[in-house]
Amino acid sequence: MDTQIILKGILNTVTRVSPIALYMGCVVSGLVFEDQKALILLGGFFLVEMISFFYNMNTPLNTRCALFKSGEKHFSMPGPIPTVIGFFAGFLICEMFEKEKFNPLRFFTLGIFLLIVIWSRINVGCHTIIESLFAGIIGIVIGVAYYYLVKESYSNSKNSLNNEDNDDNENKELGDLLFD
């Protein structure tokens, strides 16, 4: 098999499961480790899913992305996966700027992840360039707006890394631990 085909398959698969991984990470972190920040982020993911659901309620599924294929063609916006990843990136980037703790590695990792997701959805044929870019931008806007909506609660929430038993990481966020 061609290496390029294998790489595309891996990237497309990771892209497709990444929203579920983000949701489950928030659920586990929030419920098992009592991380209130993860539950607030999960609420944002739920909001994005509800917006996508109501927007696409009367739109037929794209035949390349549907579980069961049909012969219909149509135009649908926004693409749910780029919207979710855009939301995640917008939320975390907004948090960095608000706390005045810009982390270039985190910023560029989130940006590259969003670009890979946009490319993947175009590559698979689920969305056009315009649909995927628009979905990513909508996700970023929703992520920034949601951050400002929950900023007070989010800033005052405890997370599992900021507890009395963990003095070394007392003031570090999960992203700081991952990207430092």
Side-chain angles (χ1 to χ4, degrees):
M1 268 187 122
D2 188 13
T3 308
Q4 186 177 11
I5 292 171
I6 293 171
L7 181 61
K8 281 183 179 181
I10 291 170
L11 285 175
N12 291 332
T13 301
V14 168
T15 295
R16 195 168 188 125
V17 299
S18 58
I20 296 168
L22 289 171
Y23 304 159
M24 293 311 299
C26 287
V27 167
V28 169
S29 189
L31 297 179
V32 175
F33 301 113
E34 298 176 3
D35 186 346
Q36 294 171 349
K37 290 184 176 193
L39 294 176
I40 291 171
L41 190 58
L42 182 63
F45 287 134
F46 182 73
L47 175 69
V48 170
E49 286 296 331
M50 294 310 296
I51 290 170
S52 292
F53 174 76
F54 287 117
Y55 184 84
N56 291 320
M57 195 189 251
N58 295 320
T59 305
L61 289 173
N62 185 328
T63 57
R64 292 181 185 244
C65 300
L67 293 175
F68 303 101
K69 297 188 186 257
S70 68
E72 301 172 14
K73 291 187 176 188
H74 71 284
F75 179 79
S76 86
M77 289 177 69
I81 295 176
T83 305
V84 168
I85 303 306
F87 167 83
F88 183 63
F91 187 89
L92 293 181
I93 289 170
C94 190
E95 178 190 25
M96 275 193 302
F97 282 108
E98 274 296 308
K99 290 184 174 184
E100 297 178 359
K101 290 183 178 179
F102 181 74
N103 182 331
L105 181 60
R106 179 193 269 186
F107 179 80
F108 289 114
T109 301
L110 290 167
I112 289 169
F113 185 44
L114 180 58
L115 290 175
I116 288 172
V117 167
I118 289 170
W119 168 83
S120 173
R121 303 319 286 163
I122 295 165
N123 181 47
V124 170
C126 288
H127 306 290
T128 65
I129 293 172
I130 298 295
E131 289 172 337
S132 290
L133 287 174
F134 184 70
I137 291 168
I138 286 177
I140 291 170
V141 169
I142 294 171
V144 168
Y146 184 73
Y147 179 80
Y148 283 111
L149 183 70
V150 300
K151 180 170 95 170
E152 200 64 37
S153 299
Y154 188 78
S155 297
N156 295 331
S157 296
K158 73 174 187 93
N159 67 17
S160 59
L161 299 174
N162 290 342
N163 60 27
E164 298 162 4
D165 301 331
N166 197 357
D167 293 334
D168 293 338
N169 299 323
E170 187 171 327
N171 294 319
K172 290 203 170 199
E173 300 290 329
L174 178 61
D176 294 334
L177 291 172
L178 292 174
F179 293 108
D180 280 346

